[in-house]
Amino acid sequence: MTDRAALEFRLNELLEPGRFKDYGPNGLQVEGRAEVRHLACGVTASLALIDAAIAAGADAILVHHGLFWRGQDGRVTGWMKQRLARLLSADISLFAYHLPLDAHPTLGNNAQLGARFGWLADRRFGEQDLGFSAAMAPTDLGALAARLREVLGRGVTAVPGDGRPLRRVAWCTGGAQGYFEAAIAAGADVFITGEISEPQAHYARETGVAFIAAGHHATERYGVQGLGDQVAQDLGLSWQFIDVDNPA
Ligand SMILES: [Zn+2]
């Protein structure tokens, strides 16, 4: 058992959110009860996740995608009202860490995704060094896509480059298709992220560097589990990961 403030302190100590320029507030977003025994972790603070966490008897929820983002109009209506009402009436805290959780060198989304494939980053690239890159045993796009499908349990979108053997992989979880050009500049043979937009297929064909979109949700399931497990050990909590499937 611990208290909310100690949990927040430990999370901040591990992730150092002050080092990042982010799209929303990192840390405690909604304050619940002081005592914390059980922590529920998930990718996004959706109503389904909140309800499942309450049903599981959680005192706090830890997510990658919280409730508050730059550019929101600030009104507590519709889905925002529903989610906040549920959190507040259950007196359950919501902690959210966005870019600091992507970036953490061992616990984060990128590091934990890489670990599932045996990729240990020896280079970082892109804005705020969020992109990871590693050497790997040479492979081809078909084999790499098949491994991703198997580990992540979903289909992937793979755009071939020039067919060269893939010896250097670069990756950045979530909606990081905008990092493709930085990955190319950093010497990647293939770049993996969660989503694809229209331009990336052309860049792949024109630069020869292959591109794979493996799912925003699917690529971001692992950081919050690494972090949840770590703080649970540090503070003597029980914890669980709640997966709310998302086709995106
Ligand atoms: Zn994301």
Side-chain angles (χ1 to χ4, degrees), residues 19-20 99-100 102-106 110-111 121-134 168 171 182 186:
R19 294 200 298 119
F20 295 86
L99 299 183
D102 290 320
H104 191 278
T106 56
N110 286 322
D122 56 11
R123 265 181 223 169
R124 301 278 290 260
F125 68 92
E127 208 190 311
Q128 304 193 64
D129 266 351
L130 290 172
F132 282 46
S133 175
R168 173 156 289 275
W171 71 100

Side-chain angles (χ1 to χ4, degrees), residues 19 39-40 85 89 111 127 135 138 140 144 146 161 179 196 215 221 224-225:
R19 294 200 298 119
L39 179 65
S89 63
E127 208 190 311
D140 61 49
L144 181 57
Y179 278 60
I196 184 168
R221 276 189 302 228
V224 78
Q225 297 183 62

Side-chain angles (χ1 to χ4, degrees), residues 35-194:
E35 274 185 11
V36 180
R37 294 164 199 273
H38 188 62
L39 179 65
C41 301
V43 177
T44 300
S46 62
L47 192 62
L49 178 73
I50 293 167
D51 281 342
I54 292 168
D59 304 296
I61 301 173
L62 174 64
V63 295
H64 179 52
H65 302 137
L67 284 182
F68 307 112
W69 300 97
R70 205 194 293 155
Q72 282 171 335
D73 71 9
R75 288 179 294 176
V76 181
T77 55
W79 60 267
M80 179 66 87
K81 181 222 162 175
Q82 283 193 295
R83 295 185 195 180
L84 274 174
R86 215 73 117 235
L87 288 166
L88 293 170
S89 63
D91 202 18
I92 186 166
S93 294
L94 176 68
F95 292 92
Y97 291 88
H98 186 234
L99 299 183
L101 185 58
D102 290 320
H104 191 278
T106 56
L107 302 173
N109 280 322
N110 286 322
Q112 292 281 324
L113 182 72
R116 262 101 190 142
F117 296 92
W119 306 328
L120 194 61
D122 56 11
R123 265 181 223 169
R124 301 278 290 260
F125 68 92
E127 208 190 311
Q128 304 193 64
D129 266 351
L130 290 172
F132 282 46
S133 175
M136 64 177 176
T139 185
D140 61 49
L141 190 61
L144 181 57
R147 267 185 82 200
L148 282 159
R149 275 198 297 274
E150 188 190 323
V151 172
L152 298 179
R154 55 156 285 151
V156 305
T157 301
V159 185
D162 55 15
R164 71 180 83 156
L166 308 178
R167 302 172 193 278
R168 173 156 289 275
V169 59
W171 71 100
C172 191
T173 61
Q177 58 270 54
Y179 278 60
F180 188 25
E181 288 166 276
I184 294 165
D189 297 314
V190 57
F191 178 61
I192 300 165
T193 185

